[in-house]
Structures are given as C-alpha cells and as structure tokens.
Amino acid sequence: MAEDNGGILAVGLSGDSIAASIRAQADAQARAAALRIEYDSLSQYKKMVDDLLTSLEKSPAHHGKLADGKLPTAALGTGFTQAQDLFKSYNTVHTELQKLSKGLAGQIEALGLAVGFAGKTFEEVDEATKQRMAALAKQAHADYVPKRDPYAEMKAEDPQGAPNNPPVSGTKKGGVL
C-alpha cells in the first residue's frame, strides 16, 4: 500500500510531516498573495510619488525656477548696512530653499525608483536604474549636514538608537554607500 501512493510513506514521512508540508505550502501561497497586494499598493504609491515629483518640477518651488527668481544685488538698496544684511539674509534663505527643493526632488525620485523595483531581485533591475539610484544616494550623502540631523547626537551616543538611520561609517557625512 505504501508503494501505491508514490512511495511517500515508504521513505519515512508520517502523516504529521505531510500535513506540516501542506500547511507550509498554504502559508507560502498566502504570503505570495499578500505580496501581490502589497506590490499593487506600492505601484499605486509609486504613481502618487511620480505625480508629486511632476508637480514639484512644474511649480515655482522647483530649484531651477527658484534660481530664476533671484533678486539683483542692489534691489534692496545700496549704501547702508541694513540693506546689505537684508540682501545677505535673502540670499541665504533663497540658496537654502533651492537646496531643499533639489534634495526633495532627489528623495522623491529615489523613493519612486525604490517602489518601482520593490519585490524584484537586484539582478532584475536594469543598469540605468541602478546607476540612477547610486547617483541619488551619492548626492544625498554629499548634501548631508550632521548639524541639521535631529538624530545625529543619538547616533553618536548609540548607533542603534536613531530610528531608520544607517550607522555612521566614521566619515563626516552620513553612513556608508
């Protein structure tokens, strides 16, 4: 009789191990179905992120358009210190807004790319996407200012203490790429 069922019992598998195997397969299928739902949700999320990036690029807050709206040096007056101080402050704020806009665009683009290849293996991602992600990560790393990081102090005390932040690599700027 053991020979009639494909030899399963003949090789020493009990009914309990067969049931465990069936349960494991069912669990794996349930997880695969859940991943499919997650992938669909991520696809919708990626579309939303892409739409946000497009909106930013078309808005006056885009770093390129911010650069076009810069005031000339004498626009706030000449010959008195307050005008120079005001212009210096204006320049600082304007420059920081440009950096913020550019950084935000890069982060949104990286998020969109990451969501786009979520669920794929590294080999399944095309080379251009890998290179773009590396360039975005390198730029974010270069733009990192530890003094502005609210978790930098916690990272210095306890590298595991800062949520969602990579451990510091010993460089002056952020973690390892």
Side-chain angles (χ1 to χ4, degrees):
M1 185 113 181
E3 304 301 323
D4 293 340
N5 63 12
I8 292 175
L9 292 177
V11 294
L13 292 179
S14 68
D16 288 342
S17 62
I18 292 172
S21 176
I22 291 171
R23 279 192 300 275
Q25 183 178 4
D27 288 345
Q29 289 172 341
R31 285 191 305 272
L35 283 176
R36 179 66 202 167
I37 292 168
E38 289 297 319
Y39 176 77
D40 291 343
S41 296
L42 285 175
S43 296
Q44 292 168 355
Y45 187 68
K46 182 184 183 318
K47 183 186 178 327
M48 184 182 75
V49 168
D50 289 345
D51 291 346
L52 283 172
L53 183 59
T54 300
S55 295
L56 177 64
E57 288 171 351
K58 292 179 181 178
S59 80
H62 185 265
H63 61 277
K65 291 180 183 172
L66 279 171
D68 294 341
K70 192 170 181 181
L71 288 177
T73 307
L76 302 175
T78 57
F80 55 101
T81 317
Q82 291 83 358
Q84 291 172 346
D85 291 345
L86 181 58
F87 185 74
K88 186 176 174 183
S89 295
Y90 165 80
N91 262 350
T92 300
V93 169
H94 193 268
T95 301
E96 292 303 312
L97 280 173
Q98 284 180 282
K99 289 178 188 176
L100 177 63
S101 176
K102 187 176 180 181
L104 182 59
Q107 293 299 311
I108 292 171
E109 182 182 356
L111 181 61
L113 289 172
V115 169
F117 61 71
K120 295 181 180 177
T121 64
F122 190 70
E123 291 79 27
E124 292 175 312
V125 178
D126 65 274
E127 194 60 36
T129 302
K130 290 177 191 176
Q131 289 175 356
R132 184 63 188 146
M133 280 297 286
L136 289 167
K138 185 177 181 180
Q139 185 63 49
H141 183 74
D143 293 341
Y144 175 70
V145 180
K147 291 187 296 189
R148 295 182 181 174
D149 183 350
Y151 298 108
E153 194 173 299
M154 287 183 356
K155 285 191 284 187
E157 294 169 6
D158 177 17
Q160 301 302 317
N164 300 319
N165 285 306
V168 177
S169 66
T171 64
K172 291 185 178 181
K173 296 182 179 247
V176 179
L177 289 178

